[in-house]
Amino acid sequence: MIQRDQLESRYAGRAAFVERLLGVFAHTYAAVPGELRLAVESGDSVGVARLAHMIKGSAGNIMDHDLLALARKTEQATREMRPESMGLALDLADALDLTLAGIGT
């Protein structure tokens, strides 16, 4: 979940920028939950790791600490080829869906 109070504090007095930042995130990541699920279905661990890495980088920018932690965990598990990596990727897709819904996509 996005910590809006922290996000607004980080960019104090720049409410329009915060909304633009969230809009860019929503636009950029709108299709990613589906891409993650497709990568899992096809067993594409390289794709899962790439998508998790992308999410990890951007989740911190919008102050979604839970999404950031899950993306980090997913990326690491996938790169280490751990059996739970694909389950984590599905959890990450669900978490990203919730974040996007919270933004209003």
Side-chain angles (χ1 to χ4, degrees), residues 69-84:
L70 183 54
R72 180 179 290 132
K73 186 175 180 179
T74 303
E75 180 185 16
Q76 183 174 4
T78 305
R79 292 194 190 283
E80 294 173 359
M81 299 168 73
R82 295 198 317 251
E84 70 270 21

Side-chain angles (χ1 to χ4, degrees), residues 58-75:
S58 295
N61 290 338
I62 62 166
M63 304 302 271
D64 190 330
H65 306 299
D66 295 334
L67 186 64
L68 170 63
L70 183 54
R72 180 179 290 132
K73 186 175 180 179
T74 303
E75 180 185 16

